[in-house]
Amino acid sequence: MEYLIGIQMKHDYDKMFKLSEKILLLCVGEAGDTVQFAEYIQKNVQLYKMRNGYELSPAAAANFTRKNLADYLRSRTPYHVNLLLAGYDEADGPGLYYMDYLSALAKAPFAAHGYGAFLTLSILDRYYRPDLTREEAVDLLKKCLEELNKRFILNLPSFTVRLIDKDGIHDMEKLPIGPK
Amino acid sequence: MAARYDRAITVFSPDGHLFQVEYAQEAVKKGSTAVGIRGKDIVVLGVEKKSVAKLQEERTVRKICALDEHVCMAFAGLTADARIVINRARVECQSHRLTVEDPVTVEYITRYIFTNRLKYTHNGRRPFGISALIVGFDYDGTPRLYQTDPSGTYHAWKANAIGRSAKTVREFLEKNYTDEAIASDNDAIKLAIKALLEVVQSGGKNIELAVIRRNQPLKSKEIETLVAEIEKEKEEEAEKKKQKKSS
């Protein structure tokens, strides 16, 4: 699926980092670690583009990120961050990569981090199909957010939604899943 | 005299020369010509392409390199030295963005390259054998052109040339760089091509051009059509002169 779920308690805090024209990194976890690590990865991906004249593929960027996370994990200063990396590759199409703070990496059709994952993964399990169209994918996202609205203890007034396709990254209008 | 004072960079000659630096400048004079022009809304870099061997892939010989999305440079001199400088500069551009959240100004990156290279002239290692033309736009929109040389100094220019026959090209630019000459983007590009055509023998095929426009990344320019235009203009002028003479 070509989208990411970003759930936040501060509703103007953007957790998505643009690594390149067609790759987004969603970074959550320890305050400070998230921005530090994500910006470091972001600038290194840009450096690759400057040095080589073309951008890293999403798979390469995901593995690079994982390697960095793994190296820091085994040092005195591990980063406590959970990541979702989404990107569009010319050859392989859209791809979503799930990474956690122990530097596990898995390519997945859908993914979620945090307490919200307990609620949304079952929805995704039930309704996901590999051949979803764009509208169906957005509807599935809306279903997940409705579920959170119903059962999740925290009030989550707004969500930032971004879509990645062959033309790059698109901002979708903020989904108005508010308290009913 | 030179024989005793030019072995090491750390030795001055009695008349105040650092011979190694001057020899490095000689190395630059052997490199292929590069010209840079600062227009109003555009900066242009043109280089003379050395003719490649028949079996060689032309794409791998690039003399104009992007340092960041808004800065690029052309060099003359030892290609291997240039590659080290370019790599350090690229890393510094991203590092600056990481720590300061702003893209580098052209002056900053030029100064960084120059202080980097100054370390080499002071610590007893050999100086870099390149001169560089660094062009770009600062984030307030001002176009900039800087030139660095092996001694480690840098200056801002409106238009400049480095490498083989740099003197000829610079004289041409001094005569022809006026505010009208660079009034439009195309005029600035044509001026760069005309300047290079002074010293490049075989015409358009051996010129590589790159332009940066404000807020747009580096583009390599198609010059065949522009060169044809310039040749036509030259012919027309020659015709006019002939007619004046005969009448």
Side-chain angles (χ1 to χ4, degrees), chain A residues 22 55-59 87-95 164-166:
Chain A
K22 298 192 181 152
E55 296 184 330
L56 272 173
S57 70
Y88 188 92
D89 192 22
E90 300 295 316
D92 302 326
I164 310 181
D165 59 14
K166 63 174 168 49

Side-chain angles (χ1 to χ4, degrees), chain A residues 21 36 39-40 42-44 46-47 49-52, chain B residues 66-69 87 90-92 94-95 97-98 101:
Chain A
E21 290 305 313
Q36 179 84 334
E39 283 193 348
Y40 175 74
Q42 191 181 42
K43 299 303 183 261
N44 271 293
Q46 286 299 311
L47 182 62
K49 176 172 143 201
M50 287 297 136
R51 273 187 172 144
N52 300 292
Chain B
L67 300 181
D68 201 348
E69 293 179 344
N87 195 37
R90 283 176 173 155
V91 173
E92 178 59 24
Q94 294 305 319
S95 187
R97 277 187 195 250
L98 183 59
E101 284 265 324

Side-chain angles (χ1 to χ4, degrees), chain A residues 1 3 123 127 132-146 172 175:
Chain A
M1 273 206 264
Y3 71 94
I123 303 284
Y127 290 110
L132 289 172
T133 65
R134 175 183 307 227
E135 290 75 23
E136 288 171 341
V138 176
D139 280 340
L140 183 49
L141 176 62
K142 284 198 185 136
K143 269 210 192 64
C144 293
L145 302 186
E146 278 165 13
M172 299 193 62
L175 290 192

